[in-house]
Amino acid sequence: MKLFYFSMVLNGILILMTFVYITLIDQGQVYTYLHYDLVGNLINIIASQVMLFLIFHLSFSRMKKQQLYYEQVQQAERLKMIANLTAAVAHEIRNPVTVVRGFLQLYQQDPAFDVSDKSKFKLMIDELNTVEHITSQFLTLSKPNGDLKPEKVDVKDVLHSVTSLLSSYAMLSDNHIDIDVEEDCTILINTIEFKQLLMNLIKNAVEASEAGMSVSVTARRSRHDIEIRIIDQGSGMSEDEVKSLGTPFYSLKSNGTGLGLMICFNIVEKYGGEIHYHSVKGHGTTVTVRFLAVNEK
């Protein structure tokens, strides 16, 4: 495309120089047939350039659509493979989780344990419930879960809840999370899925940041949208790496699978939102998530 536009500009300059030469220097001595109808010939040449541009534009647009269709077919094949894999994995994970949760519930009711121990058992049971829910979410990679109903969610409350959970995790690498949320930021989404979305994105930002750096989380309300930004100060990504985000089994982590980010993309798409990554090598990454704002009134 750059070569085509360069040739168009160069061709236009040469045409202009040619007609200036014919008009001011040649004056019809050699190029009589052009000088006789200078305006008509100029219009004819410009029209031919416009036709070339339209032909190129239509051809290039067709090629882009074919490339997009091919990528969508490949993505559909990946999703089919992931659906089969995650169905088997989810079944194998649920069984031991159910057993462990059953014993914890039994211990929680045992009078031999004091209140402090029982509160820890409750915390572990809650975390196992989260594991089971997230495992179930793997099944939504190719088939959205219609059982989870959207509701009005206060972004500020959910962000504070998620960041408080991740603060201890961030402290392990001497990182901290800065949060700045405006009032009246309400969206229509399932709370559990929204928490999972934020948990994955903020956790990725913490893991991408250098030790001692901070992760900035902001939420702003515009006229129609709620914009959430998560900014890290990590090593950043190349343009090709950004384009590959959300692809099954593509991850920049040594032990990552890429499924978590893929679920994030699916959650955002499910509720009609937008997610964009902006990253430059050596300058960190900014994740922008937008949802339609909901009025409280």
Side-chain angles (χ1 to χ4, degrees), residues 197-205 230 261 264 277 287 289:
L197 168 68
L198 295 176
M199 188 78 74
N200 278 326
L201 295 179
I202 297 175
K203 184 171 178 286
N204 286 345
I230 302 167
L261 197 54
C264 291
Y277 272 80
V287 188
V289 182

Side-chain angles (χ1 to χ4, degrees), residues 63-235:
M63 290 170 60
K64 293 290 287 183
K65 289 179 180 178
Q66 288 179 337
Q67 182 181 1
L68 179 62
Y69 174 74
Y70 177 70
E71 291 175 354
Q72 290 174 342
V73 170
Q74 285 187 319
Q75 182 75 351
E77 291 296 325
R78 294 192 192 101
L79 288 175
K80 185 178 179 181
M81 177 187 65
I82 293 297
N84 296 330
L85 176 63
T86 52
V89 172
H91 177 73
E92 295 301 324
I93 291 177
R94 278 174 176 172
N95 289 336
V97 166
T98 302
V99 173
V100 174
R101 184 173 56 186
F103 276 105
L104 288 173
Q105 288 173 340
L106 184 63
Y107 292 150
Q108 191 180 18
Q109 298 173 1
D110 192 336
F113 295 98
D114 58 23
V115 177
S116 177
D117 291 330
K118 289 183 178 181
S119 65
K120 294 175 182 177
F121 290 148
K122 183 180 182 303
L123 179 60
M124 287 187 280
I125 291 171
D126 291 340
E127 292 302 312
L128 287 175
N129 290 335
T130 303
V131 169
E132 186 173 1
H133 171 72
I134 293 174
T135 303
S136 300
Q137 281 293 93
F138 282 139
L139 300 175
T140 66
L141 291 174
S142 61
K143 185 184 295 183
N145 191 347
D147 298 334
L148 299 176
K149 301 300 181 182
E151 54 193 341
K152 285 186 178 181
V153 174
D154 191 325
V155 175
K156 184 176 182 178
D157 291 342
V158 176
L159 272 176
H160 278 293
S161 174
V162 170
T163 52
S164 64
L165 289 173
L166 288 174
S167 293
S168 299
Y169 178 76
M171 288 174 63
L172 295 175
S173 53
D174 197 24
N175 298 116
H176 58 279
I177 303 171
D178 297 329
I179 181 170
D180 181 16
V181 186
E182 288 184 352
E183 298 291 340
D184 193 26
C185 289
T186 307
I187 60 176
L188 195 64
I189 194 172
N190 179 264
T191 306
I192 297 176
E193 289 182 312
F194 187 47
K195 283 184 177 180
Q196 184 180 358
L197 168 68
L198 295 176
M199 188 78 74
N200 278 326
L201 295 179
I202 297 175
K203 184 171 178 286
N204 286 345
V206 170
E207 293 174 347
S209 298
E210 301 291 337
M213 296 296 182
S214 63
V215 172
S216 174
V217 182
T218 63
R220 296 284 183 269
R221 181 188 177 99
S222 63
R223 186 175 181 181
H224 301 291
D225 299 320
I226 303 297
E227 182 180 275
I228 303 168
R229 287 193 176 187
I230 302 167
I231 306 171
D232 67 58
Q233 301 181 44
S235 57

Side-chain angles (χ1 to χ4, degrees), residues 47-63:
S48 65
Q49 299 301 309
V50 172
M51 287 183 63
L52 284 174
F53 173 78
L54 290 176
I55 291 172
F56 171 79
H57 180 72
L58 292 174
S59 301
F60 188 77
S61 299
R62 183 180 178 86
M63 290 170 60

